[in-house]
Amino acid sequence: MLKVSVVIPTYRPKEGLDRLVASIDAQTLSTDEFEVIFVDDGSPDNTYARLQEVARTRPHVRVERIENSGWPSRPRNIGTDLARGEYVAFMDHDDELYPDALRRGYEFAAANSADVLSGKEARTHDAAWAIDLYREDLGQALGLTRQHPMIPMNPHKLYRRAFLIEHDIRFPEGGRVMWEDIFFNVKVMRHARVMSVLASVPYYHWFTTRGSGSTGFQRSNPEFWQWLRRVLETTETDLAGPALAQQHRQLMGHQYRSRIIASFDTRFSGRGQAERDLIYDSCRRLQQDFDLRRFDDALNASGRMRAHLLAGDRRVLLEQLPQADPTIPGWGTTTSLRWDGDTLRVEADVEWSSPHGRRHDFEHSPAGRVLKRLPEVLAEAIPADLRDVTEEIASATVELGMRSRESRVVWMLSSRAHVQAPDADSGRVGLTATLSGELDVTSAIFGSAVGADTWDLNVRTNLGGTITQTQLRAPHTATVSLHDGHVRLAYVNKDGFVTAHADDSAEAVRRLRPQTARVEGGALIVTLEGVHTGSGEIPVSVATVGGDGKPKGALPGVLAMEGQSVVLRFAAAPAQVRLRIGDRTPDGAAWWDVRTGSDGASLQRGRPVSQKPATSTVQRVRRAGGRVLRRLGLRR
């Protein structure tokens, strides 16, 4: 028996198919241990021919074609019937598997006799995606209290095929079935005895682009509410009984919080009248019909207030509340950023504020509790205990994380935080935090080294279950550590956020602005800005620039430590040379002119990077096309 069958329904996948196939080809699991089954759902374009070409040179790939069913359910079911693997891995036709996904996923699932395994997933434009599930490897995650181990409820998991067959677990067919993956996974939840979570190895990249996804999943669509009712009905029936009580509560609470209560955000009042009517009426009926208020105790203060007004049919006030109680993200700004050998040490101040500078508005109650401060008409309608955020503040968390630009995977780092709610003016209460964290490039990823990726640092804040994960701001210049033959680098990117590299001498040359130049013993020495740490020297090649501003060649040298300074040392001192140094600093120059003579050496700044040379029409068209591709997520 094969170890894994990868089942992929396709329907006009366009460029995403090439990305998916490349990720399949990159798997570390031997091709004689897994198979790939493409089931094309009657694509009207050349998809079937493309799939046949893929299979032609890959003996472990097979292709089936069916009449269009209109949804991925039937292709997945057919793929499961055809599968010969011990486990089935479902993929969407434009996503990616990380290289070690199948090998490590299978090994962990088989070692734990898992009925289902959820492997670490990243989502292209969402750094906060599913982080709290993937905190640790769990051979048995059934009974996990912080959240259900099947959430996210998508099908991007490993399922034991014999388990699916034994319990006749299939995706619901019949054309368009919204949330077919939830209906499928509820059946899995009902019967599974072992659910595993693999957090230490990247498994799946849910590749999303602007405009991707079905418009049916918008709250303005009546189908959204019709199918949500079906989801709640199925959850109530399939997860009934004492043995499934925790799973039932977790899933019902999740749907209540994320689909119903979350509908009343700051965008709600800006919707058209018909949309607001649809959303309000649907939410109110669902809250009543399924007695969802029994899950109010799992909501935060913002959710409890909305649930209270919805249950009381206080629509006018419910439309006002999101503007008085908006979601406010947490942001971090470094106060210190320095390398200590292999470890980047970060200190930061954290505040919760909107892009327009709005902050949380809290006040003390007569009993000394901390309450959300609301306009009088709302405060009179909402009991004080529903506005109480004392425990939310006491249990708030702030963490340091990092995200790979190449893979989009996020890892949380070792960090500590202190959250405070000091008294402010006029009886109000503020909210701030301080954060300390470390990025040890030799062990940050579950004891493993971070690799050669470009890492953007971020701050994850959790206040009462409201989570934001935003990039770490910094006013600092670049900082470098030369340690054991490696160049550790952290710098402020063009958007003002912290980026780090585990070992990149070439990037260090371009991120550090030259300060002085001198000739010593016949060698040219250029001192680079900043305070740095370490010892030794690293060979580098610095680009030279011609009179026309274009790259001309390279000048070999070394990057070396002198006390707490980093210098570029060149064995010979040319009379005149134009070097590309520090051009990627926030206000960098495209080159620096270095002149040497009997009186020493001098530096002269060249053209600013922002001042581009004249471009041809073809170049302008190409650049415009590149910007469009990046906006669409087709180029990184």
Side-chain angles (χ1 to χ4, degrees), residues 299-302 325-330 351-352 359-362 372 389-398 419-421 430-432 460-468:
L299 300 174
N300 61 14
S302 293
D325 179 45
T327 297
I328 295 178
E351 65 174 21
W352 281 259
R359 290 170 169 77
H360 285 289
D361 199 359
F362 300 142
K372 282 183 176 285
V389 293
T390 309
E391 277 76 27
E392 290 182 21
I393 293 174
S395 61
T397 60
V398 178
V419 180
Q420 304 176 78
L431 183 64
T432 61
R460 182 180 180 87
T461 60
N462 185 339
L463 179 63
T466 298
I467 297 170
T468 57

Side-chain angles (χ1 to χ4, degrees), residues 77 80-81 83 160-170:
N77 289 337
T80 303
D81 292 339
R160 189 164 59 84
R161 183 175 182 273
F163 162 76
L164 298 179
I165 300 301
E166 176 187 357
H167 298 287
D168 193 28
I169 300 173
R170 300 176 70 80

Side-chain angles (χ1 to χ4, degrees), residues 171-278:
F171 291 90
E173 298 184 20
R176 183 182 177 89
V177 181
M178 289 178 60
W179 288 308
E180 81 288 344
D181 46 2
I182 296 181
F183 292 110
F184 179 86
N185 281 321
V186 167
K187 295 282 193 293
V188 172
M189 292 163 64
R190 176 177 178 81
H191 296 288
R193 294 296 174 262
V194 179
M195 298 178 180
S196 296
V197 173
L198 180 61
S200 60
V201 179
Y203 177 80
Y204 195 93
H205 180 187
W206 183 355
F207 199 97
T208 57
T209 59
R210 290 179 177 87
S212 64
S214 171
T215 57
F217 291 94
Q218 296 178 3
R219 287 172 168 83
S220 57
N221 189 335
E223 268 193 302
F224 178 99
W225 303 103
Q226 295 162 10
W227 283 108
L228 181 57
R229 177 174 289 274
R230 291 278 298 275
V231 166
L232 295 175
E233 290 170 348
T234 298
T235 305
E236 289 279 65
T237 56
D238 286 8
L239 299 182
L244 299 168
Q246 178 178 307
Q247 296 193 72
H248 170 268
R249 180 176 179 81
Q250 287 176 317
L251 189 52
M252 289 293 285
H254 170 71
Q255 300 297 345
Y256 182 38
R257 178 179 62 255
S258 63
R259 314 278 191 215
I260 296 173
I261 298 302
S263 296
F264 302 103
D265 57 13
T266 52
R267 294 170 295 180
F268 181 72
S269 61
R271 295 178 181 269
Q273 183 67 46
E275 284 187 33
R276 298 202 309 277
D277 290 345
L278 171 66

Side-chain angles (χ1 to χ4, degrees), residues 213-456:
S214 171
T215 57
F217 291 94
Q218 296 178 3
R219 287 172 168 83
S220 57
N221 189 335
E223 268 193 302
F224 178 99
W225 303 103
Q226 295 162 10
W227 283 108
L228 181 57
R229 177 174 289 274
R230 291 278 298 275
V231 166
L232 295 175
E233 290 170 348
T234 298
T235 305
E236 289 279 65
T237 56
D238 286 8
L239 299 182
L244 299 168
Q246 178 178 307
Q247 296 193 72
H248 170 268
R249 180 176 179 81
Q250 287 176 317
L251 189 52
M252 289 293 285
H254 170 71
Q255 300 297 345
Y256 182 38
R257 178 179 62 255
S258 63
R259 314 278 191 215
I260 296 173
I261 298 302
S263 296
F264 302 103
D265 57 13
T266 52
R267 294 170 295 180
F268 181 72
S269 61
R271 295 178 181 269
Q273 183 67 46
E275 284 187 33
R276 298 202 309 277
D277 290 345
L278 171 66
I279 294 171
Y280 180 83
D281 293 341
S282 299
C283 288
R284 182 160 164 74
R285 284 196 299 269
L286 291 173
Q287 185 190 50
Q288 292 175 327
D289 294 349
F290 292 93
D291 187 24
L292 295 177
R293 295 216 66 190
R294 59 194 153 133
F295 306 111
D296 279 4
D297 61 342
L299 300 174
N300 61 14
S302 293
R304 292 194 303 269
M305 293 191 299
R306 286 158 171 78
H308 174 76
L309 294 178
L310 181 64
D313 199 16
R314 307 292 297 274
R315 175 170 174 172
V316 173
L317 295 181
L318 185 54
E319 292 194 8
Q320 295 175 9
L321 181 59
Q323 305 305 319
D325 179 45
T327 297
I328 295 178
W331 296 87
T333 303
T334 61
T335 55
S336 176
L337 187 68
R338 61 184 177 84
W339 286 98
D340 181 4
D342 292 323
T343 302
L344 179 64
R345 302 198 183 278
V346 180
E347 305 283 338
D349 288 335
V350 178
E351 65 174 21
W352 281 259
S353 64
S354 73
H356 305 293
R358 184 169 182 176
R359 290 170 169 77
H360 285 289
D361 199 359
F362 300 142
E363 63 184 356
H364 280 300
S365 73
R369 307 288 290 179
V370 181
L371 310 180
K372 282 183 176 285
R373 186 185 184 102
L374 299 174
E376 185 176 353
V377 64
L378 288 167
E380 289 178 351
I382 300 174
D385 64 308
L386 300 184
R387 297 189 284 124
D388 195 319
V389 293
T390 309
E391 277 76 27
E392 290 182 21
I393 293 174
S395 61
T397 60
V398 178
E399 301 173 88
L400 182 67
M402 65 178 186
R403 188 180 203 202
S404 167
R405 286 193 195 171
E406 291 78 14
S407 70
R408 307 301 177 97
V409 174
V410 176
W411 302 101
M412 300 313 298
L413 303 172
S414 173
S415 58
R416 301 152 302 284
H418 178 55
V419 180
Q420 304 176 78
D423 291 339
D425 297 336
S426 306
R428 300 189 178 187
V429 178
L431 183 64
T432 61
T434 54
L435 171 68
S436 300
E438 299 87 33
L439 164 55
D440 184 338
V441 298
T442 67
S443 62
I445 302 176
F446 283 80
S448 298
V450 303
D453 292 27
T454 301
W455 299 96
D456 291 316

Side-chain angles (χ1 to χ4, degrees), residues 5-18:
S5 296
V6 182
V7 173
I8 308 166
T10 60
Y11 184 77
R12 301 175 62 186
K14 300 181 181 179
E15 295 86 355
L17 180 62
D18 296 333

